[in-house]
Amino acid sequence: MAPSKLNSIGDASVSGSQPENGLVDFNSEKAVQELLQQTPVQGIDDHLIEFSEALRTVAKALRRVSEGKASAQAEAAEWKRKYELERARSLQLERKELSSGEHNGDYSAENLTNEPMMCMEARKQSERCCGKHGIFSHEVLHNGEIGSDNEVVNNKFMRKASFKLSWWCKGEKSDQHKHDIVSFERGNITTAERSSKQISLQWESHPQTVLILTKPNSTSVRILCAEMVRWLREQKKMEIFVEPRVKVELMTESSYFDFVQTWKDDKETLLLHTNVDLVVTLGGDGTVLWGSILVQRASSSCNPFFFGFSGIYDSISYPAFFMSEQYRECLDSILRGPFSITLRHRLQCHVIRDTAKSEYESEGPILVLNEVTIDRGISSFLTNLECYCDSSFVTCVQGDGLILSTTSGSTAYSLAAGGSMVHPQVPGILFTPICPHSLSFRPLILPEHVTLRVQVPFNSRGHAWASFDGKDRKQLAPGDALVVSMAPCPVPTACQVDSTSDFLRSIHEGLHWNVRKTQSFDGPRDF
């Protein structure tokens, strides 16, 4: 047998004995040694690595294309929905114009000439209603003259006390910045440009009616309430309203409290805001939030009958104005005036269902003092929420949920979820995710004038739930949306010192903010 060469994949050759049929004779020891000693195959591993990296690049590109396609489809669906809503609105306006034209005919020359005069009159009336400093006075009350339907109920109420508001700057002796804003004689309070300036309240007539709200199932609060009612009646000659539950408790204790007034049905509740000058809450945050809900039920306008969230239990969000043993001195200072107040902003929420024909078909408005929370409820899937700010896409929330909070509620649920603590008079809306499935999702603070829209997408794997100040939970199905904006009507609360001092005291005492052991002074020094 003559030696020959064996061709391999790597173009390597070995010498060995070859029989007549052309095959290598591996029985030859010399041929086996030559095969084992040949150079290993080069380039195969490198080609496989390059090929796998190319496959990964293609997979990433395909993933980006699919995500872009889904985003484009969602954006197209949103534009289609807006187009249909705008078209429906235009058709509705056209129908109204046609119906008005059939009833009234064409405008006459007299109507055309009177129209500019009507516009000028409306403009003058608007200028009379508006002020320059962000607090308006709208003449909507008429000293108890609500209407003939409520004459029986109005007979038991007194005329409301009037007051005036003024800007007040701490530490300034001059009256340069201490000027009157509006006198409350027949109007409401609303804010056009919210400011962090300290506001002082001075009664122009003595308050006559007070509403006392208490924490239920508390013996100490019940004893304090009875003592406070007796003191306000005998020393201050005031009319006192309490909840029906509290009236029963007082009458069980003594028939002396027969003068205490309450309400029997929702109709009388709706008239509370026309008579009550001051509200005193005996409790903590829960009692304050219940008072805010009662405000909403009683008045959809900006009537400020909720002056003085005063409490015996100190809290972080709403610091107590007085403790139980100091209520006489503190209430006497409020009734005399002047005293500092904090205008606490609220959020105005509307729920728009997928079946709604237009944006005007909504559930609401629902006013919240702390926060509105959108969570996944009992579902085990992540919440999928599309968020828009003034029609601009913000982000898609994937996590346990989302908190939209006021600055007053920044020390409540939002703080527990990682949000920042914000002074209650800073105008803004806190955008805080709950356990987001992303390391880069940080909370935001948005300006007060924006309108937020949180929508459950159609491809969501489950429903979402919205709760308003921890109550009135509503289910949000795919396609439903929650629209949130800043309410024009703040809730005024009394301050113990001033807004800033009360806020700093509450975070120091309630949260022990930045409390740490003082560093030792016996260490090395720079000098």
Side-chain angles (χ1 to χ4, degrees):
M1 293 184 296
S4 63
K5 293 183 179 180
L6 177 65
N7 294 328
S8 63
I9 300 175
D11 296 331
S13 62
V14 295
S15 299
S17 57
Q18 182 176 5
E20 295 179 356
N21 56 5
L23 298 175
V24 178
D25 184 9
F26 287 102
N27 293 326
S28 174
E29 184 177 354
K30 183 179 180 181
V32 173
Q33 290 293 336
E34 293 179 355
L35 181 63
L36 293 175
Q37 293 176 0
Q38 70 176 357
T39 304
V41 179
Q42 299 292 332
I44 294 180
D45 293 340
D46 295 338
H47 290 315
L48 289 177
I49 293 174
E50 293 178 0
F51 182 69
S52 62
E53 291 179 353
L55 287 179
R56 291 193 191 97
T57 304
V58 172
K60 290 181 180 179
L62 292 176
R63 192 181 303 115
R64 292 193 191 99
V65 170
S66 61
E67 291 177 354
K69 181 179 178 181
S71 176
Q73 289 177 349
E75 186 176 359
E78 180 67 17
W79 280 108
K80 181 180 179 182
R81 184 185 63 82
K82 292 181 179 179
Y83 169 75
E84 291 177 351
L85 290 175
E86 189 65 25
R87 183 181 178 185
R89 182 181 178 184
S90 300
L91 292 175
Q92 187 176 3
L93 291 176
E94 290 178 1
R95 293 193 190 99
K96 287 183 179 180
E97 291 178 358
L98 291 175
S99 61
S100 61
E102 292 176 357
H103 290 289
N104 301 327
D106 297 332
Y107 281 107
S108 61
E110 182 180 357
N111 290 334
L112 292 174
T113 56
N114 290 335
E115 186 175 357
M117 298 177 63
M118 295 170 63
C119 294
M120 290 295 294
E121 184 66 26
R123 188 177 305 169
K124 291 180 180 180
Q125 185 177 1
S126 175
E127 291 176 354
R128 287 196 301 267
C129 294
C130 301
K132 298 180 180 180
H133 305 282
I135 299 182
F136 294 1
S137 175
H138 298 283
E139 297 184 359
V140 297
L141 300 180
H142 302 284
N143 298 330
E145 299 175 5
I146 307 298
S148 59
D149 296 337
N150 302 321
E151 291 179 357
V152 178
V153 181
N154 289 333
N155 291 333
K156 62 190 291 187
F157 294 126
M158 305 293 292
R159 180 181 175 182
K160 293 193 63 176
S162 60
F163 57 85
K164 63 181 179 181
L165 299 179
S166 59
W167 294 128
W168 175 76
C169 298
K170 184 178 179 181
E172 295 189 6
K173 297 181 180 180
S174 64
D175 293 336
Q176 180 179 359
H177 299 284
K178 191 175 180 180
H179 52 273
D180 298 342
I181 300 301
V182 62
S183 295
F184 182 86
E185 184 65 30
R186 296 183 170 185
N188 295 324
I189 292 181
T190 182
T191 53
E193 296 180 1
R194 299 159 185 84
S195 174
S196 60
K197 294 180 181 179
Q198 184 59 54
I199 302 176
S200 177
L201 182 144
Q202 174 66 57
W203 300 104
E204 290 186 340
S205 60
H206 188 74
Q208 300 177 358
T209 309
V210 60
L211 171 64
I212 301 178
L213 301 177
T214 65
K215 177 184 178 180
N217 304 323
S218 176
T219 304
S220 60
V221 170
R222 185 167 61 251
I223 295 174
L224 177 62
C225 178
E227 185 179 348
M228 184 180 295
V229 168
R230 188 186 299 271
W231 180 79
L232 288 172
R233 182 66 173 183
E234 294 177 355
Q235 301 296 326
K236 301 301 179 180
K237 310 300 180 184
M238 298 188 69
E239 299 291 331
I240 301 170
F241 278 81
V242 297
E243 300 171 79
R245 168 186 56 84
V246 180
K247 176 65 180 292
V248 173
E249 294 175 355
L250 292 175
M251 291 301 296
T252 303
E253 181 178 342
S254 174
S255 59
Y256 167 80
F257 298 103
D258 186 58
F259 62 87
V260 176
Q261 303 182 51
T262 186
W263 53 89
K264 298 179 180 179
D265 50 27
D266 294 339
K267 184 178 180 181
E268 294 189 8
T269 305
L270 297 176
L271 296 175
L272 278 176
H273 69 283
T274 62
N275 301 273
V276 175
D277 300 310
L278 177 70
V279 173
V280 178
T281 61
L282 304 180
D285 285 356
T287 313
V288 173
L289 293 178
W290 160 240
S292 175
I293 295 174
L294 190 62
V295 173
Q296 182 181 169
R297 293 179 181 177
S299 174
S300 59
S301 64
C302 307
N303 198 285
F305 86 106
F306 241 70
F307 268 111
F309 275 134
S310 308
I312 62 172
Y313 299 134
D314 207 354
S315 60
I316 302 171
S317 300
Y318 309 97
F321 187 85
F322 60 85
M323 304 308 289
S324 57
E325 63 274 6
Q326 303 170 345
Y327 77 89
R328 292 183 180 88
E329 295 80 3
C330 295
L331 284 181
D332 188 64
S333 65
I334 286 183
L335 296 176
R336 287 197 317 268
F339 58 93
S340 300
I341 66 172
T342 300
L343 293 180
R344 299 185 178 272
H345 310 303
R346 294 184 289 179
L347 297 180
Q348 184 173 265
C349 308
H350 295 266
V351 177
I352 303 176
R353 300 297 180 182
D354 179 48
T355 56
K357 297 180 180 179
S358 67
E359 296 282 346
Y360 302 102
E361 296 182 12
S362 62
E363 301 175 12
I366 305 171
L367 300 179
V368 296
L369 187 60
N370 266 5
E371 74 278 317
V372 52
T373 305
I374 307 99
D375 56 66
R376 60 191 176 106
I378 62 174
S379 175
S380 60
F381 299 111
L382 292 176
T383 301
N384 192 9
L385 302 172
E386 294 179 352
C387 302
Y388 300 86
C389 179
D390 289 339
S391 301
S392 298
F393 179 74
V394 178
T395 187
C396 183
V397 177
Q398 287 184 307
D400 282 351
L402 177 67
I403 300 172
L404 300 178
S405 170
T406 64
T407 51
S408 293
S410 65
T411 52
Y413 194 2
S414 176
L415 177 64
S420 177
M421 293 186 295
V422 187
H423 191 288
Q425 285 195 217
V426 174
I429 302 176
L430 278 69
F431 186 92
T432 308
I434 306 174
C435 297
H437 198 256
S438 171
L439 296 177
S440 60
F441 198 165
R442 305 302 301 159
L444 299 176
I445 301 178
L446 301 172
E448 53 162 345
H449 56 80
V450 302
T451 299
L452 298 175
R453 180 186 181 94
V454 181
Q455 184 165 352
V456 181
F458 289 100
N459 60 352
S460 177
R461 302 177 70 180
H463 293 78
W465 290 84
S467 59
F468 308 90
D469 278 339
K471 299 181 181 296
D472 300 331
R473 286 176 66 84
K474 292 181 179 293
Q475 188 180 41
L476 301 178
D480 294 346
L482 177 68
V483 179
V484 180
S485 60
M486 185 74 76
C489 311
V491 175
T493 63
C495 301
Q496 188 175 28
V497 181
D498 57 63
S499 174
T500 302
S501 299
D502 288 2
F503 173 70
L504 295 177
R505 177 177 62 86
S506 67
I507 63 175
H508 278 295
E509 297 179 358
L511 293 174
H512 302 288
W513 179 62
N514 198 29
V515 175
R516 67 179 297 271
K517 184 179 179 180
T518 305
Q519 188 175 8
S520 175
F521 292 98
D522 57 358
R525 303 192 180 188
D526 293 335
F527 55 89

